[in-house]
Amino acid sequence: MAAKRRNHKQSKAKPPRAAVGKGRSDEMPGGASGMSVRKRIDQDAWELVPPRCARERAEDLEEVRAMVEAGELEVARDECRWLLEGCSDCLEAHRILGEIALDDQDVPLARGHFGYAYRLGARALERAGTTGPLPYRLAANQSFLEAAKGLVWCLLQLGKPEMAAEVVSLVVACDPSDPLNVRELLAERPAE
């Protein structure tokens, strides 16, 4: 497993290493409004809008990102869990926990967190009746697309290429330029 993880880290198409955060427990679980998307007025693009409970935890998420950068993964994990207690739909906290799980070589746990984050974004797109464009260049979309890439990698490691292909399909519909090289993951999938 360690060898697979190392190879994953060396691959051009590896799941991205992103930043991480922490939150307050005085919010309603799941947030009042849930994840949504909005059309950008200044361009032909959509962007994800986190639920209020996640937006109110922006400073906490910034602290978690700093913890991850400093290698304080145990503390970051605890902070993300705490964030999710008050805001279960905090997409970025799930993405971060997925990355930490990959560092721990726990692919099933990583799949769970990446999958939850992916579903939050995919459901928001579905409710809006669009698949995009939801470009990676917009900061609001990055955690969703990074989580999707992590999910694809995990699904391939777990021998679920059909499910991975479905995720890739939505990611490419969201951003056809595929800046995270998600399509490459399908080509590099492990032998079954």
Side-chain angles (χ1 to χ4, degrees), residues 40-58:
R40 291 285 301 252
I41 298 170
D42 58 336
Q43 51 193 293
D44 183 30
W46 293 79
E47 68 182 348
L48 288 166
V49 180
R52 185 185 70 224
C53 63
R55 291 190 309 267
E56 291 176 350
R57 288 164 170 74

Side-chain angles (χ1 to χ4, degrees), residues 51-120:
R52 185 185 70 224
C53 63
R55 291 190 309 267
E56 291 176 350
R57 288 164 170 74
E59 287 181 32
D60 297 320
L61 284 166
E62 189 63 38
E63 289 177 23
V64 174
R65 288 183 205 106
M67 291 172 197
V68 170
E69 285 295 317
E72 299 171 0
L73 299 183
E74 287 297 318
V75 178
R77 177 185 293 120
D78 291 343
E79 290 296 318
C80 283
R81 288 176 179 158
W82 181 68
L83 276 169
L84 293 174
E85 286 177 13
C87 186
S88 62
D89 287 353
C90 185
L91 188 151
E92 187 170 2
H94 281 290
R95 182 197 42 80
I96 292 165
L97 285 170
E99 291 174 357
I100 292 170
L102 281 183
D103 284 344
D104 293 340
Q105 300 175 6
D106 189 340
V107 176
L109 180 59
R111 175 199 176 188
H113 283 294
F114 288 141
Y116 194 94
Y118 171 78
R119 281 190 307 277
L120 288 171

